[in-house]
Amino acid sequence: MSNADVTEQQIRQGKSLVVAVDGPSGSGKSSVSKAVATRLGLAFLDTGAMYRSVAWHCLNGRISFADAAAVEAAARTVKMAQSMDPGTEMFTINGINVTAAIREPKISEAVSAVATNLGARAELIRRQQALIAEHGRRIVVEGRDITTVVAPDAEARLILTASEEARLRRRGLQLGGTQSAEQLAEQVLARDAKDSTVVDFQRAADGVYTVDSSDLDFDATVDAVIAVVRRAVNAGPPV
Ligand SMILES: Nc1ncnc2c1ncn2[C@@H]1O[C@H](COP(=O)(O)OP(=O)(O)OP(=O)(O)O)[C@@H](O)[C@H]1O
Ligand SMILES: Nc1ccn([C@H]2C[C@H](O)[C@@H](COP(=O)(O)O)O2)c(=O)n1
């Protein structure tokens, strides 16, 4: 069977299919993964939103990011819920709807304090793995450590990347031109630099495909990711 022989229809009707997507900030992981999940009939898990939710909870509850034990305790004890339907975006923390609040620039600027807290990471990874299992391993999961730590056994693993220039431009457009060049650089490039101290999401590990969307529009990027999924499903697990 050639790669092209696995159709989207067959993927939709298939069994276990975890699609793991990592990459730097603004590369399109969340929006592209959502579209891929919709097309393939899979659930969708935005793991960055979980880190953002803990950051929101700490800011809201005046928990100091400098107090590593308190941040870890927050990650362990908060009630977190999210829609895993790719067509519905909804996040709650202790019953409070934080869907819009976790996207604010102040959260983007603070969230690395949670991402670099190893205790909080361990707890969020545990929760993410439980969610993947609860959804029958038919799911697209995006973040920074999905291909390597959360789901290294995923059927399809890829890094979605784009040039710094493309990522800054896209994030600027996404935020409606409200941010200065310095603010965008802080929220995209400086954040990546901090997050990179605990996880490598810039280089593809063995067996992980790379999709560079710098010169692709949104629809072409979704097509490119689906082509990788089909190729990975066709290839099967490494021998
Ligand atoms: N190939 C593309 N061409 C143009 N715009 C794109 C492309 N891919 C994504 N976008 C747009 O770029 C913006 C950033 O995408 P998105 O929020 O999905 O990135 P992300 O990698 O999840 O970022 P972060 O990790 O910071 O949350 C969105 O407005 C999205 O629609
Ligand atoms: N698997 C993950 C997902 C996210 N993070 C961190 C890194 C980001 O700064 C933050 C928010 O993610 P985003 O919503 O921008 O994708 O969470 C991580 O460390 N591991």
Side-chain angles (χ1 to χ4, degrees), residues 23-33 46 48 52 103 108 142-144 160 166-167 169-171 173-175 187-188 191-192 213-222:
S25 175
S27 61
K29 298 179 301 297
S30 169
S31 50
V32 170
S33 297
D46 177 345
R52 287 172 180 271
R103 303 295 171 196
S108 299
E142 62 92 0
R144 302 292 189 290
L160 180 57
R167 293 187 290 115
R169 179 169 30 83
R170 290 173 189 171
R171 183 49 43 84
L173 286 172
Q174 189 179 29
L175 294 173
Q187 292 160 34
V188 175
R191 180 152 65 96
D192 278 348
S213 73
S214 307
D215 298 319
L216 302 177
D217 68 14
F218 184 82
D219 290 345
T221 307
V222 174

Side-chain angles (χ1 to χ4, degrees), residues 92-182:
T92 63
I93 193 141
N94 289 339
I96 303 168
N97 185 335
V98 294
T99 312
I102 61 171
R103 303 295 171 196
E104 286 176 9
K106 70 175 179 191
I107 301 296
S108 299
E109 283 166 17
V111 65
S112 294
V114 179
T116 55
N117 179 309
L118 297 184
R121 282 200 84 78
E123 169 61 15
L124 294 185
I125 290 165
R126 186 194 65 72
R127 291 190 191 220
Q128 290 154 14
Q129 290 172 332
L131 287 168
I132 293 169
E134 276 168 32
H135 284 77
R137 291 185 58 82
R138 285 194 52 80
I139 187 165
V140 182
V141 189
E142 62 92 0
R144 302 292 189 290
D145 57 352
I146 313 305
T147 60
T148 51
V149 178
V150 176
D153 55 351
E155 283 74 10
R157 296 185 295 153
L158 65 114
I159 297 267
L160 180 57
T161 191
S163 66
E164 282 187 6
E165 187 272 332
R167 293 187 290 115
L168 288 167
R169 179 169 30 83
R170 290 173 189 171
R171 183 49 43 84
L173 286 172
Q174 189 179 29
L175 294 173
T178 58
Q179 305 295 297
S180 67
E182 292 71 27

Side-chain angles (χ1 to χ4, degrees), residues 41-62:
L42 302 174
F44 167 67
L45 176 59
D46 177 345
T47 62
M50 298 171 77
Y51 288 87
R52 287 172 180 271
S53 296
V54 175
W56 180 89
H57 175 75
C58 290
L59 283 175
N60 193 50
R62 301 192 197 290

